[in-house]
Amino acid sequence: MIPEQDQIGLKHINMIKVLFFGKFRDITGMGEKYYNAKNLEELFEKVFDEFPLLKDNRYLVAVDGVMEKGNKNLAENQTVALLPPFAGG
Amino acid sequence: MGKFLTEGCISEEIIAGFLKEDSGDYKDGAISIFIGKVRADIHEDKKVTAIEYFSYPEMVELTGEKIAETIKSSFPDVKNVRLIHSTGVVKTGEASLAVMVSAGHRDEATRACREVVEMIKASFPVWKKEYFSDSSNEWKEV
């Protein structure tokens, strides 16, 4: 992955921790992975590009433990969780 | 493990501990309890023998606190809200969820307890894998 560069060559790195839960851990083979992304849309483009089988599933998104819908800008070191539909009780 | 999760089944000691809690002023005249158990469902001739629960612990803590706050603001008569969910393996017949609500009167205690269970079903970040009598297993989706 090559971080984007501005006109004077500075690299923009915005590392986001992505957590996988439930069956998504089976699909990805891991519990977490770091991606360089500035918002949720860009992040999931990268995640789904790497793990296309995830796209076949319903999922929810939480940023730092709070549910999110739609796109959202991300700050360095935020945690994004990709969650299968809840099945507690 | 946090306030809202326990490893394995919900023990009798945990439930007894809930019952011993009181508001201190003895204005709680009613306690409503819900216990959720692992059911021996049958899927294509295979019987469920256990469920393994997985959670997102940090989000469970946030969600559990939010549920308790929401219930207390929605039901002014409620004095105390406690809830705990299993993580890890729970066998059929064992408890995997316990909710206790105390209130001044039975009507609010009963309705608030039911509401807590519905909120857990809708918003608690927990997932489960069913284990069957033929040693197979699969993720349970709702």
Side-chain angles (χ1 to χ4, degrees), chain A residues 19 21-26 57-58 60 62-67 79-89, chain B residues 36 53-59 62-63 85 96-97 120-129 139-142:
Chain A
L19 302 176
F21 289 98
K23 67 189 290 189
F24 298 161
R25 285 196 178 187
D26 290 351
N57 295 273
R58 290 182 296 146
L60 304 163
V63 178
D64 292 335
V66 178
M67 300 300 296
T79 299
V80 174
L82 190 61
L83 313 165
F86 303 138
Chain B
Y53 292 93
F54 301 82
S55 68
Y56 179 2
E58 294 85 354
M59 191 172 167
L62 292 173
T63 308
H85 200 296
S96 57
L97 170 65
I120 288 170
K121 288 278 186 186
S123 65
F124 230 48
V126 171
W127 303 275
K128 54 191 171 192
K129 186 180 273 184
W139 289 102
K140 168 88 170 177
E141 301 222 342
V142 294

Side-chain angles (χ1 to χ4, degrees), chain A residues 48-61:
Chain A
F48 292 146
D49 191 45
E50 184 171 359
F51 303 107
L53 286 177
L54 288 175
K55 280 190 286 193
D56 300 335
N57 295 273
R58 290 182 296 146
Y59 66 90
L60 304 163
V61 177

Side-chain angles (χ1 to χ4, degrees), chain A residues 13-64:
Chain A
I13 300 176
N14 200 40
M15 295 308 288
I16 306 298
K17 180 157 81 171
V18 177
L19 302 176
F20 302 106
F21 289 98
K23 67 189 290 189
F24 298 161
R25 285 196 178 187
D26 290 351
I27 292 172
T28 61
M30 63 185 72
E32 64 181 57
K33 184 163 186 182
Y34 285 83
Y35 290 87
N36 180 29
K38 60 182 181 295
N39 56 45
L40 284 174
E41 193 175 300
E42 182 186 3
L43 178 70
F44 284 114
E45 193 177 315
K46 292 180 177 181
V47 172
F48 292 146
D49 191 45
E50 184 171 359
F51 303 107
L53 286 177
L54 288 175
K55 280 190 286 193
D56 300 335
N57 295 273
R58 290 182 296 146
Y59 66 90
L60 304 163
V61 177
V63 178
D64 292 335

